[in-house]
Amino acid sequence: MSDTFDLINNIQSGCSRVQKKHFIKNETITTYIQKRNQICIMIVGTADLIRYDLNGNKDIVDKFNENDIFGEAFYPVHTNNELTVIATTDCDVLFLQHDDLYKKCKTNCKFHNTLSSNILELTLKNSVHQNMRIEVLSKRTIREKLLTYFSILSSKDFSKSFTLPFSLTNLADYLSVDRSAMMRELKNLASEGFISKNGNKIKLLYK
């Protein structure tokens, strides 16, 4: 994939249907609204998709990095639980509507043509992210969730050693488990020789 599809350069040529916005760390990028069908593309930075249930418990539903695509168009909003995207670093994000993908600009801008030709690849990448979390959450125990997630990260980096993309607190939120229970399980995995751990750096010892 080219450097963010050259979107940063192509956006300079102007597209009446696209907005580019800057956000600082911890700022809300967007809140998912039913039937809006907004599409967002992360140009620079990282962000988390966060959901709070009716009891106020926090879940990290997904994590977005450069070139990732997100928004209601890819995560239908059908519950009362609010989904919010929060910047975890300073970010540049593009905003457009799903229907605009299939409407040519009056100027037939290069950005719009480039995006349309790459939307399938972006969508497939989004599906991979969602399927990965489903696989992790389908495991019954904290140990199984941790080892499954670690295995995915190891395969992604082609290395037994990797750095967690979350703080440990956020990792517990991502796995939908109690942080104290997760910390005990991490300690057990280390003492039993499954992993070695140094801060957010993990090394698998069993693969």
Side-chain angles (χ1 to χ4, degrees), residues 150-205:
F150 292 165
S151 179
I152 290 171
L153 292 180
S154 175
S155 297
K156 182 179 178 181
D157 292 345
F158 301 102
S159 173
K160 292 183 179 181
S161 301
F162 50 87
T163 301
L164 295 173
F166 300 109
S167 67
L168 293 176
T169 296
N170 284 345
L171 176 61
D173 292 335
Y174 182 76
L175 299 178
S176 295
V177 299
D178 177 76
R179 184 183 185 279
S180 296
M182 184 193 74
M183 295 301 294
R184 287 195 298 271
E185 196 57 66
L186 283 171
K187 185 177 179 180
N188 291 337
L189 288 171
S191 64
E192 294 171 22
F194 284 92
I195 66 170
S196 63
K197 177 180 172 298
N198 183 12
N200 277 17
K201 297 184 182 299
I202 304 291
K203 182 177 182 180
L204 301 185
L205 304 177

Side-chain angles (χ1 to χ4, degrees), residues 132-144:
M132 181 184 75
R133 188 161 191 265
I134 290 171
E135 180 180 355
V136 172
L137 294 183
S138 68
K139 304 305 178 183
R140 292 181 178 276
T141 67
I142 294 176
R143 171 173 292 214
E144 289 175 330

Side-chain angles (χ1 to χ4, degrees), residues 54-66:
L54 298 178
N55 296 317
N57 298 312
K58 172 185 172 185
D59 284 330
I60 296 179
V61 179
D62 208 343
K63 186 174 184 67
F64 306 124
N65 300 299
E66 285 187 15

Side-chain angles (χ1 to χ4, degrees), residues 38-80:
Q38 180 175 253
I39 292 176
C40 307
I41 303 174
M42 182 69 69
I43 299 300
V44 176
T46 61
D48 289 341
L49 177 61
I50 294 173
R51 175 177 56 209
Y52 290 94
D53 65 21
L54 298 178
N55 296 317
N57 298 312
K58 172 185 172 185
D59 284 330
I60 296 179
V61 179
D62 208 343
K63 186 174 184 67
F64 306 124
N65 300 299
E66 285 187 15
N67 300 337
D68 283 347
I69 190 167
F70 54 97
E72 300 95 343
F74 305 98
Y75 200 108
V77 182
H78 50 73
T79 70
N80 292 325

Side-chain angles (χ1 to χ4, degrees), residues 87-111:
T88 51
T89 66
D90 289 359
C91 299
D92 288 328
V93 182
L94 298 182
F95 293 81
L96 66 154
Q97 296 298 310
H98 180 265
D99 290 347
D100 291 339
L101 289 174
Y102 309 102
K103 297 177 182 177
K104 285 190 175 293
C105 300
K106 293 180 179 179
T107 58
N108 196 28
C109 73
K110 187 176 180 181
F111 165 82

